[in-house]
Amino acid sequence: MTIELLLGEEWFAVCDRDLLTPGRGVAALLPDGNQAAVFADRHGTLYAVENRDPFTGAYVLSRGLLGSTADGRHFVASPLLKQRFDLATGQCLDDDSVSVPAFTVRAR
């Protein structure tokens, strides 16, 4: 099974599903030179956000810790400064003025 991200109007294969360990991320290089951080949570739900931490500029979100808020929002916490990003929307949960792009993900 292959993990694909929707980029514009086309699907782009980023990795094999077997490479995703629940709760851990994988960095994927995209055709435009940017990176995505791809995750599977413990229930098997797939997520992808841009890998670049907007607070530091480092490409590290794929190394972040997954968690969820009391209202059920799943997030990745940056391993550097610990800001949390909603995995569905990319919105920073700690600073409303900051977000990262979130991608539509599928497994085929």
Side-chain angles (χ1 to χ4, degrees), residues 1-4 14-26 38-40 44 46 106-108:
M1 194 172 281
T2 301
I3 303 300
E4 298 179 334
V14 293
C15 69
D16 190 75
R17 176 67 175 90
D18 293 340
L19 293 176
L20 293 178
T21 300
R24 298 196 180 252
V26 172
V38 183
F39 302 94
L46 300 171
R106 75 177 181 189
R108 286 181 40 123

Side-chain angles (χ1 to χ4, degrees), residues 23-24 39 61-67 75-79 82 84:
R24 298 196 180 252
F39 302 94
L61 291 183
S62 61
R63 295 190 219 159
L65 298 174
L66 295 189
F75 65 81
V76 59
S78 173
K82 309 303 185 229
R84 300 167 302 150

Side-chain angles (χ1 to χ4, degrees), residues 5 7 12 14 28-36 103:
L5 305 182
L7 304 177
F12 179 73
V14 293
L29 183 62
L30 303 177
D32 64 2
N34 287 318
Q35 295 179 22
F103 300 95

Side-chain angles (χ1 to χ4, degrees), residues 31-90:
D32 64 2
N34 287 318
Q35 295 179 22
V38 183
F39 302 94
D41 69 13
R42 299 198 189 290
H43 303 289
T45 305
L46 300 171
Y47 301 96
V49 295
E50 185 176 74
N51 195 32
R52 184 179 175 276
D53 180 336
F55 290 95
T56 65
Y59 291 85
V60 296
L61 291 183
S62 61
R63 295 190 219 159
L65 298 174
L66 295 189
S68 60
T69 63
D71 62 357
R73 295 172 71 179
H74 296 278
F75 65 81
V76 59
S78 173
L80 298 178
L81 301 177
K82 309 303 185 229
Q83 284 89 357
R84 300 167 302 150
F85 297 90
D86 186 305
L87 287 170
T89 66

